[in-house]
Amino acid sequence: MSRTEKYLNYFLSHRNVTLQLVSKIEKENYEYKPTPTSMTTEKLVSHMLTSFYRFALVVKKGDLSAFSNNFETEAENLSDLANQITTKTVETLQSLTEEELNQTIDLTNILGMKLTGSQVLQVAMDHEIHHKGALFIYVRELGHTDLPMFVSKG
Amino acid sequence: MSRTEKYLNYFLSHRNVTLQLVSKIEKENYEYKPTPTSMTTEKLVSHMLTSFYRFALVVKKGDLSAFSNNFETEAENLSDLANQITTKTVETLQSLTEEELNQTIDLTNILGMKLTGSQVLQVAMDHEIHHKGALFIYVRELGHTDLPMFVSKG
């Protein structure tokens, strides 16, 4: 299995769980937040989706320009949005070359350090897992108790 | 930097954030849980600490025996417990050899697959980050708004 395929599988083992959680969130709860200083459910999900896609584009392009992009999407709901951005993220991950995974990218402006492409993908994974951990609480507080494991096997 | 040192730094970049969160939890809130089906704060923290230490021991020993261990500790509070178990975890991580990181470990019973030692450490990291993401919500719900980044730099 190539390194690109390994990253793709690793990404999907967590993103598939994110998608399962998102599918449980009803429109009337998009503005829900657990405390006054928390992100709303919609903001949290949107932040997770666009952040990982941006990190993947950063690795692809070798620069931070993706963090200035606005993504125009026409999604009917959060699940649609999640599926659309996941598809684009998968395509970007699938296209990554060994050179792109190995190149050094200057993230001083957002993370205070320089990292290789593959290290940027690990930061992206950690970011997804971190916010997914929070999203589990949101979804449980919205009344759902039949929840998946934090990572999907195989 | 050796692979062992890299894992140690990676571990501490997240564990130090866990320790900061734990230091904010007062004894009167150890039984707090966000929903009736959630773990209590004390259970969640204890689960995070013992799980990572067990995963590190699994890599060290090459088998799952650490998952049957009971850890006897004499800690006055959760912060003490966190510091004690973190010290033992760091010692275990520091002691790992290249052979131990490369050996295949049969985790069929708990994860349904076989993994190398270094892959087990990645599962341990993902598990820590997942539950730390949840712990952020607990701590915010306990009234704290001055919270660290999800990962500490340097």
Side-chain angles (χ1 to χ4, degrees):
Chain A
M1 199 188 296
S2 72
R3 207 147 58 117
T4 297
E5 285 172 312
K6 279 185 193 166
Y7 279 118
L8 184 62
N9 288 343
Y10 181 29
F11 168 66
L12 288 174
S13 73
H14 286 282
R15 175 53 61 89
N16 284 336
V17 177
T18 304
L19 295 177
Q20 283 182 65
L21 294 178
V22 170
S23 74
K24 294 178 186 289
I25 303 167
E26 292 171 326
K27 243 176 189 161
E28 70 210 52
N29 293 319
Y30 284 3
E31 294 303 311
Y32 173 76
K33 50 186 178 180
T35 77
T37 59
S38 301
M39 282 188 270
T40 66
T41 309
E42 183 169 22
K43 178 83 199 284
L44 173 61
V45 171
S46 167
H47 171 68
M48 291 172 66
L49 299 170
T50 55
S51 295
F52 202 111
Y53 184 39
R54 286 192 164 109
F55 277 122
L57 289 172
V58 163
V59 178
K60 187 72 196 163
K61 298 182 175 182
D63 64 42
L64 296 188
S65 57
F67 273 96
S68 319
N69 287 358
N70 274 320
F71 300 118
E72 308 234 341
T73 53
E74 286 181 29
E76 291 204 354
N77 54 49
L78 272 184
S79 258
D80 270 1
L81 181 73
N83 287 316
Q84 285 178 23
I85 299 184
T86 298
T87 299
K88 291 199 263 188
T89 305
V90 166
E91 288 167 0
T92 306
L93 290 176
Q94 281 173 328
S95 78
L96 293 178
T97 65
E98 274 297 312
E99 288 70 32
E100 289 160 350
L101 292 173
N102 290 330
Q103 72 184 327
T104 300
I105 303 168
D106 188 349
L107 291 100
T108 310
N109 284 349
I110 59 168
L111 292 177
M113 59 184 110
K114 294 178 181 184
L115 296 174
T116 64
S118 63
Q119 287 172 324
V120 172
L121 289 185
Q122 187 63 58
V123 171
M125 287 302 306
D126 293 354
H127 184 266
E128 172 94 5
I129 296 166
H130 165 70
H131 284 302
K132 173 160 60 61
L135 187 60
F136 266 90
I137 310 285
Y138 280 60
V139 171
R140 200 177 281 279
E141 291 181 345
L142 291 174
H144 299 278
T145 53
D146 185 19
L147 301 179
M149 269 273 293
F150 84 104
V151 59
S152 70
K153 301 175 199 169
Chain B
M1 200 189 295
S2 73
R3 206 147 60 118
T4 298
E5 284 172 313
K6 279 185 193 166
Y7 279 118
L8 185 61
N9 288 345
Y10 181 30
F11 167 66
L12 288 174
S13 74
H14 286 282
R15 176 53 60 89
N16 284 336
V17 177
T18 304
L19 295 177
Q20 283 181 64
L21 295 177
V22 171
S23 74
K24 293 179 186 290
I25 304 167
E26 291 169 329
K27 242 175 190 162
E28 70 209 53
N29 292 321
Y30 285 2
E31 293 305 309
Y32 173 77
K33 51 186 179 181
T35 76
T37 59
S38 303
M39 283 189 268
T40 65
T41 309
E42 183 170 21
K43 179 84 199 285
L44 173 60
V45 171
S46 167
H47 172 67
M48 291 172 68
L49 299 170
T50 55
S51 295
F52 202 111
Y53 183 39
R54 285 190 165 109
F55 277 122
L57 289 172
V58 163
V59 178
K60 186 72 197 164
K61 297 181 174 183
D63 65 41
L64 296 187
S65 57
F67 274 96
S68 318
N69 286 357
N70 273 319
F71 300 119
E72 308 233 339
T73 52
E74 287 182 30
E76 292 205 355
N77 55 50
L78 272 183
S79 258
D80 269 2
L81 182 73
N83 285 316
Q84 285 176 25
I85 299 183
T86 299
T87 299
K88 291 198 266 188
T89 305
V90 165
E91 287 167 0
T92 306
L93 290 176
Q94 281 173 328
S95 78
L96 293 177
T97 64
E98 274 297 312
E99 289 70 32
E100 288 160 352
L101 291 172
N102 290 330
Q103 73 184 324
T104 300
I105 304 168
D106 188 350
L107 289 100
T108 310
N109 284 348
I110 59 168
L111 293 177
M113 58 185 111
K114 294 178 182 184
L115 297 174
T116 63
S118 63
Q119 287 172 324
V120 173
L121 289 186
Q122 188 62 58
V123 171
M125 286 303 306
D126 293 354
H127 184 266
E128 172 94 7
I129 296 166
H130 165 70
H131 284 302
K132 172 160 59 64
L135 187 61
F136 266 90
I137 310 285
Y138 280 59
V139 171
R140 200 178 280 279
E141 291 182 345
L142 291 174
H144 299 278
T145 54
D146 185 19
L147 301 179
M149 269 273 293
F150 84 103
V151 58
S152 69
K153 302 176 198 168

